[in-house]
Each structure stands twice: as structure tokens, then as C-alpha cells.
Amino acid sequence: MTKKWWHDKVAYQIYPKSFYDSNGDGIGDIPGIISKLDYLQELGVDMIWLSPCYSSPLADQGYDISDYYNIDPRFGTMEDMERLIAEAKKRDMYILMDLVVNHCSDEHEWFRKACEDPDGEYGDFFYLREKDGEKLPTNWRSYFGGPVWDDLPGTNRQYLHVFHKKQPDLNWENPKLREEVYKNINWWLEKGLAGFRIDAIINIKKALPFRDYAPDRSDGLCSINTMLKDAEGIGTFLGEMRDRTFSVYDAFSVGEVFNEKPEVIPDFIGDGGYFSTMFDFNEAIFGQSGKGWYDAEPITPEDYKNCCFASQKKVGDIGFLSNIIENHDEPRGVSRYIPEGDCCKESKKMLAALNFMLRGLPFIYQGQELGMENIPFSSIDEVDDISSLDEYQVALDAGLSPEDALKAVARFSRDNARTPMQWSDAAHAGFTTGKPWLRVNPNYLSINAASQLEDPDSVFHFYQKLIRLRKDPVYKETIVYGTLEPAFREQHNLMAYYRRGDKTLLVIGNYQSGKQAVTLPLPYTKVLLNNYADITREGSTILLHGYQVLILEM
Ligand code: GLC
Ligand code: CA
């Protein structure tokens, strides 16, 4: 595997709307991000991925772009963006933007022109089909519920949207559209961006010609994934995009890729692959059900460990995965991966270490470094996210009571991760002086950055230590490039692995509240990290405390 400039970095995802509001309108913004760069530098991260802040009606919170060359005024100005890139550079930090090119907004100029003249140049930027009475062109269900087809206003056509109806899919089969995409990527890279996170990219290749598939719910529709499984040749688009954009700038790219088959991994993230890296969603998709969120199976510590190890094995040293415990589309990792009732400082630190020390590029989602948790919902009226609202309806349609439907949604809602960042115990968690656009988690009085910065034993400082360890010249080679070998696999509720490079490290986490003994085959020479003050030992046996995690040099 060829070494790359970004391999030893630590990435941090910002959801701009909820990060920090500089002007009191209740919406986080770019000047707010700039004012928090020192905080991020103190944490130690060096690559920052911004969820979209382009012009947008915000139907899907910015993942519906109406102008790829502008910043939405709610987030700031282009000058603010340029200042952010420059201020980051001063701190040896890199800015990544979100590349959302499977679809645009229905308020984008291209879509307006397509409505005006569906047979003209811009009609071909989208997937349009002639209306045929009540019959839809295909029976695919959009990710956010309902059919993927809607009427193209003012015409006798329908357009395809695999996400929300305000997110019409762009027609990648059209070389003119692809040129527009590449032009835009290069325009941003010229501005000094280090690269992109690439949204929903697996959807750009549709199975052609369009056809129906067997319905999988009583609505008579089928999952988009069924169609995607049938689509071949995405590599042609992805390879062209790489050659025309990222490769030219040695830019970083991380793909949002789901359900990839093991045999495509070398093409996707091997040497010269389509992307620098891609996210590992193995834990996030565990237990998913075709029926909806209400039917999803919870994940146990054993499942979590097996998911992580399976991904590591699948990728091996072919490339680099990007490891996450959460993002803006997922509930908070500590609420999801730590058994109910056990969420505490120790268990949060254990999860942090187990995830962070995996081979790959670690991503931290805003607030994760504080151990932010899911928000309690008392009514569906408190939910903003379109995906959660759809899943609530799906649960009701399946016969769940409103209380149970709310519970199902609360467990997975994307809003859990989108509540404002908890900066302090001041009003609205110090996120804004105005009224926050989304409710603040009431636990901000006990979980917030200001108090954690003062407490050397906080989750924040534990993340800081993990980051320092990754960057420590003595251990860096091993942590970044070393192999990963699972250890003590047969021991229940214990997740442990060796990282072997020029050093040998053992990461070991007791994934339960009760104590657990582990007998080491070799003595350790040094304790690099411990989330407790002590280690209880008897000869070569360590008696781990509940949720104790250790990083040992062997
Ligand atoms: C990705 C984004 C998600 C968005 C969707 C459509 O999955 O992460 O937030 O809703 O794509 O753009
Ligand atoms: Ca603002």
C-alpha cells in the first residue's frame, strides 16, 4: 500500500447548522466554526469535514443544493469560507467539503430549466419519463418513503428522486452533467480545499433500462437497494471523476459507500482506487430490517466486536477504512453501542479507544469527544428529520401504537446527532444567544465542553490522549500502518486486538459492567492508556474493571 499524506491524520466532522452560532439567529455558521478552530486544535484533530453549507432550501438540511458555487447566507459568505480555509491552514488543518452530486435541489437552476423545457439541454440533466396515466415508470421506494417519481411541474413528465422529492437525481449517463460536476469539484480544489466527503455516491449508477422489481412491503414498492444491486458499471463514472479531479490535486476523498461487495474493495480504495478511503458502516447497518427502523435488532457487544473485525478482515492491507462511531445520519454511538443503562464516562472511553485504535482513519463527529448522548423525545412534534418522520409513519402503518412508534424512531433518529453542540452550561448550551433551530439536549448541564476542558479525567481529554498517541513518533508507524489481529476472541464481552508494526500493542476492552479476568500470553512492558487509575493484577492475569480499556505495549 502506497503511503499517503493523510494516513496519519485524525478527522473531525462538523455539522455546521448545529456547531456554533456566531450571530444569534439560532443557526450555526462558518464564522462560528472559525471561532472554534482553536478548540479543535487543542483536541488535536487535523482534517475537518463540513456537512454541506452551500446554497440550499435545507429540505434535507443542505443535502439539497441549489447552487454549488455559493455559500448559503444562513451559514455565511464565500469570504467566510475562504477565511476558514486560510485559518485552518495556519493551524496545519485541512478542510473537506461535502460533495452532493447524486442529486441537486429542485430549486437549482438546472431543474428550473428542465421544467421550462424538458426536451432541452437541461431535461437531460435529470431522469425524466413521460407520464402514463396513474402508472409510475418504476415501483422503487425512495429512501425517505413513497415512490421515487413525482410530476415535473408544468410538464407531462415525471422525474426520479431516490431521496426526497426536493432532491431530483442527476443523470450521470449524460457527459455534459459529468463535466459540470468535475468543473465544480476543481473550482473548489483550486480554492484550497483538501478534498471531499462524497455523499450517497453509490446511487449515481442506475440499473438501465428501468424496470420494476418484486415489491417488499404492502405499499407495492421495492427498496432502492434492490435496483442498485442490479446496476453495473459505476466504476466507469467513479474512475473518470477521480482522474479528472482528485488525482490532479492529490486531494483526499472519502466515499459514503454502503453494501459494497468484498471483491470491489481494491477498485474502490486500493492503490489508485476511486476514493482515498470509504466509511465502514458495518456496525451502523447491523440489525437493519427491510421493514423499517421499528423492526431493527439491537446490537450487542459481541455483535459490535464481530462487525469491526469483519470489516478489518475484509479490507486487510488493501487500503484504509474510515472508522466512525456516529455521524449526522446516525444516533449517538455511546447510546447505541453501550448496553442500556451502562452509558458512563468509563464505557464511553472504552468505546472511544476500541474504535480509535482500529486500523484506518479515525473520524470524530462533533460532540462525540464529549460523549454526547441521544436526546429523549417526548413527542413526534419534536422531530425535525424527514427520515425519522417517514419511519414513524412506517411504524404506525405496521400497527405499532404511537408510543411504540415514537420509541422506534427515537432509537435511530438522525436528530440525535443533530442537536446543538454542547459548549457550556450557559443557556442553550452556549450554542447560541438566540433560539436554537433544534432543541438542545437537556443533559448539557452535565455534558459540555467547558466543564470537560477543566477536568483532566474527562472524555474530551481521553480523546485528546488517543489522538496524541496516534501522533506520537514512537508509536505512529504501528498505529497507522500496523496489522490488526483479534485477540481472546472466545472471551465473551471482551474486545481485544493486537496492532503489530515496529511495536506490538494490545488494545483490550472489557465490554460489560462486571469485572473480567484476562490472562496475557506475554507480559506487557508499558501501559499507554488506561481509563481507570489502576490495573488489578495477579501474575500474568489482569482483572479488568467494568468497561476498563487498556492500551498496552507488549
Ligand atoms: C447521505 C447524507 C444524508 C442525506 C442523503 C441524501 O446519506 O449523509 O444526510 O440525507 O445522503 O443526500
Ligand atoms: Ca448563525
Side-chain angles (χ1 to χ4, degrees):
M1 200 183 69
T2 316
K3 294 192 174 172
K4 298 283 184 196
W5 64 266
W6 52 269
H7 279 157
D8 61 356
K9 305 286 180 263
V10 175
Y12 187 93
Q13 180 189 355
I14 289 182
Y15 195 68
K17 200 171 181 188
S18 303
F19 192 60
Y20 184 64
D21 174 22
S22 71
N23 61 354
D25 65 357
I27 295 179
D29 44 55
I30 298 171
I33 298 172
I34 298 173
S35 72
K36 296 295 184 185
L37 283 177
D38 290 336
Y39 165 84
L40 295 176
Q41 192 173 31
E42 182 167 357
L43 176 61
V45 299
D46 34 29
M47 289 175 98
I48 301 173
W49 152 30
L50 305 180
S51 274
C53 41
Y54 311 88
S55 305
S56 165
L58 304 190
D60 186 22
Q61 301 303 358
Y63 284 91
D64 47 320
I65 298 171
S66 54
D67 184 352
Y68 289 94
Y69 293 91
N70 260 311
I71 299 296
D72 194 278
R74 282 164 288 195
F75 295 128
T77 62
M78 190 59 78
E79 290 67 47
D80 292 331
M81 189 66 211
E82 285 160 359
R83 200 153 53 84
L84 173 61
I85 296 171
E87 286 296 323
K89 209 162 260 165
K90 278 190 206 159
R91 294 167 176 81
D92 290 324
M93 288 170 151
Y94 304 82
I95 300 292
L96 313 171
M97 282 177 84
D98 215 308
L99 183 70
V100 189
V101 290
N102 172 67
H103 44 267
C104 60
S105 161
D106 66 343
E107 297 183 29
H108 193 287
E109 188 189 4
W110 297 335
F111 193 75
R112 281 212 313 271
K113 288 185 174 160
C115 296
E116 281 160 21
D117 181 9
D119 295 315
E121 183 178 351
Y122 292 98
D124 212 24
F125 271 42
F126 300 92
Y127 292 101
L128 307 184
R129 292 292 183 271
E130 203 86 38
K131 263 182 98 160
D132 178 11
E134 288 302 296
K135 172 144 186 18
L136 298 172
T138 64
N139 70 338
W140 311 342
R141 181 186 311 106
S142 97
Y143 287 108
F144 297 149
V148 296
W149 297 98
D150 258 281
D151 291 350
L152 187 70
T155 71
N156 62 343
R157 311 288 168 93
Q158 294 188 307
Y159 69 95
L160 175 82
H161 58 87
V162 302
F163 290 95
H164 192 256
K165 66 170 190 271
K166 284 187 69 65
Q167 295 169 299
D169 279 55
L170 292 166
N171 176 11
W172 273 70
E173 305 292 336
N174 179 355
K176 282 195 187 149
L177 175 273
R178 301 205 298 275
E179 286 306 318
E180 288 290 346
V181 171
Y182 307 152
K183 193 174 97 189
N184 179 253
I185 297 174
N186 291 334
W187 187 86
W188 279 106
L189 291 175
E190 284 291 331
K191 269 200 186 297
L193 281 191
F196 288 93
R197 175 264 187 181
I198 309 180
D199 184 71
I201 194 67
I202 221 65
N203 296 281
I204 62 172
K205 182 74 193 183
K206 274 75 176 167
L208 292 167
F210 288 170
R211 67 175 182 95
D212 285 352
Y213 298 90
D216 51 31
R217 287 186 196 168
S218 58
D219 59 7
L221 304 176
C222 75
S223 158
I224 285 291
N225 292 319
T226 311
M227 177 277 287
L228 291 177
K229 267 191 212 124
D230 200 25
E232 269 168 32
I234 193 171
T236 316
F237 296 156
L238 297 179
E240 185 183 81
M241 172 162 70
R242 170 202 56 208
D243 295 343
R244 298 286 309 281
T245 61
F246 312 128
S247 289
V248 182
Y249 293 85
D250 194 18
F252 170 86
S253 61
V254 50
E256 188 196 21
V257 178
F258 285 97
N259 302 320
E260 73 289 348
K261 298 188 195 94
E263 58 271 22
V264 304
I265 292 187
D267 293 341
F268 275 61
I269 57 167
D271 272 338
Y274 308 136
F275 309 119
S276 309
T277 165
M278 65 190 194
F279 290 112
D280 176 25
F281 291 117
N282 215 15
E283 301 88 65
I285 62 176
F286 178 88
Q288 256 181 7
S289 159
K291 294 184 188 165
W293 289 355
Y294 74 87
D295 191 49
E297 207 184 304
I299 184 165
T300 66
E302 283 297 301
D303 299 327
Y304 182 81
K305 148 172 128 181
N306 292 334
C307 285
C308 291
F309 290 162
S311 298
Q312 291 282 324
K313 190 171 170 201
K314 192 160 81 174
V315 172
D317 63 357
I318 295 173
F320 243 56
L321 280 174
S322 285
N323 297 314
I324 58 165
I325 71 166
E326 64 205 35
N327 66 24
H328 66 294
D329 292 330
E330 303 295 338
R332 289 288 180 175
V334 294
S335 302
R336 181 187 215 166
Y337 300 125
I338 296 169
E340 207 172 332
D342 286 357
C343 209
C344 60
K345 205 155 80 174
E346 285 71 33
S347 56
K348 289 174 181 180
K349 291 178 182 175
M350 179 211 66
L351 185 66
L354 291 178
N355 184 268
F356 204 85
M357 292 296 289
L358 292 170
R359 189 171 184 281
L361 179 67
F363 270 74
I364 299 171
Y365 176 72
Q366 66 182 46
Q368 180 185 324
E369 77 277 20
L370 307 175
M372 276 179 67
E373 299 171 7
N374 282 355
I375 185 167
F377 291 98
S378 47
S379 148
I380 191 68
D381 301 332
E382 292 167 353
V383 175
D384 168 83
D385 165 36
I386 47 180
S387 172
S388 306
L389 295 172
D390 167 55
E391 292 284 352
Y392 180 72
Q393 195 54 50
V394 169
L396 290 180
D397 293 346
L400 269 75
S401 69
E403 296 73 47
D404 288 342
L406 183 64
K407 258 193 220 151
V409 162
R411 205 148 66 93
F412 292 109
S413 177
R414 306 196 295 179
D415 281 352
N416 284 309
R418 299 177 180 187
T419 62
M421 175 77 175
Q422 292 164 206
W423 290 107
S424 72
D425 62 5
H428 310 307
F431 160 71
T432 179
T433 55
K435 183 177 180 306
W437 74 276
L438 190 66
R439 207 161 52 102
V440 173
N441 193 319
N443 68 13
Y444 73 92
L445 292 172
S446 55
I447 301 177
N448 64 68
S451 67
Q452 294 204 14
L453 283 166
E454 277 172 19
D455 171 11
D457 193 38
S458 63
V459 177
F460 176 92
H461 281 110
F462 193 78
Y463 269 97
Q464 190 184 52
K465 286 178 195 150
L466 282 167
I467 296 170
R468 288 192 181 150
L469 183 60
R470 184 178 172 87
K471 300 200 175 268
D472 184 330
V474 179
Y475 299 104
K476 188 166 147 168
E477 185 70 21
T478 304
I479 295 175
V480 176
Y481 295 109
T483 58
L484 183 142
E485 182 190 307
F488 312 109
R489 257 200 111 153
E490 64 299 334
Q491 240 174 288
H492 189 71
N493 286 352
L494 185 88
M495 178 164 163
Y497 50 87
Y498 290 103
R499 296 297 317 275
R500 295 186 201 275
D502 50 8
K503 305 265 176 201
T504 297
L505 308 181
L506 176 63
V507 182
I508 183 162
N510 179 21
Y511 212 138
Q512 60 179 18
S513 55
K515 291 180 186 277
Q516 174 155 209
V518 193
T519 303
L520 302 183
L522 289 171
Y524 61 83
T525 54
K526 204 168 169 189
V527 180
L528 301 181
L529 208 57
N530 180 0
N531 63 342
Y532 276 80
D534 64 323
I535 297 185
T536 313
R537 260 180 17 162
E538 246 174 64
S540 57
T541 299
I542 301 179
L543 187 60
L544 294 163
H545 301 290
Y547 293 109
Q548 184 164 23
V549 73
L550 299 171
I551 304 178
L552 305 172
E553 183 175 350
M554 305 304 280

